[in-house]
Amino acid sequence: MHNTNRKVSLDEISKISGISKHYLVRLFQKAFSMSPIQYHNLMRVHAARHLIQFTTDPLTIIAEKMGFPSIHAFSRFFKMVEGTTPSFTVEKVRYSLTSHKGCLTLGTEEIHTHHTS
């Protein structure tokens, strides 16, 4: 995922793509049922969720890596997209990693561990 670590403006996307802002918004609306900025913010939250699942970075660092101006802005966007707070997601991921004896659950995948004596 490219440029998920920063805020992107419609002017910037328009300039890079060579498409007028108005036409760009219409294309995105038709293809994704959202504006280019909404889509970009969605991708930022998805990238943040990936970091929550696969790193031990604190939420403040993840918010910073994703280019959110504050942990509050990050939490607001995250909850709007995911339907739950980033801190709840961290707890859920950490719980699922420690709750199954002999079985490691990451997202929807299970990895069975075998101990040899």
Side-chain angles (χ1 to χ4, degrees):
M1 288 177 254
H2 300 286
N3 292 309
T4 53
N5 62 338
R6 66 186 185 89
K7 189 174 181 179
V8 176
S9 72
L10 194 53
D11 287 329
E12 183 180 358
I13 298 169
S14 175
K15 185 177 177 181
I16 290 169
S17 66
I19 299 173
S20 75
K21 289 189 292 186
H22 178 72
Y23 187 61
L24 182 65
V25 169
R26 281 188 29 219
L27 285 175
F28 254 82
Q29 242 356 96
K30 187 174 182 179
F32 301 106
S33 300
M34 64 182 74
S35 75
I37 300 305
Q38 288 169 322
Y39 179 82
H40 179 69
N41 285 329
L42 177 70
M43 293 299 99
R44 288 166 73 197
V45 169
H46 285 269
R49 189 175 202 315
H50 180 83
L51 291 175
I52 288 170
Q53 287 181 298
F54 299 105
T55 71
T56 57
D57 291 346
L59 290 175
T60 52
I61 299 298
I62 291 173
E64 187 178 300
K65 283 181 178 180
M66 292 297 101
F68 286 94
S70 70
I71 188 68
H72 303 293
F74 169 62
S75 292
R76 189 170 53 250
F77 272 105
F78 192 94
K79 186 170 184 179
M80 187 172 47
V81 171
E82 295 289 326
T84 187
T85 64
S87 54
F88 180 79
T89 302
V90 166
E91 288 175 22
K92 189 170 91 174
V93 168
R94 289 186 182 154
Y95 174 76
S96 71
L97 288 174
T98 60
S99 66
H100 303 289
K101 189 175 186 175
C103 181
L104 177 63
T105 304
L106 295 171
T108 58
E109 296 180 38
E110 282 190 359
I111 303 166
H112 294 278
T113 57
H114 300 284
H115 297 287
T116 56
S117 299

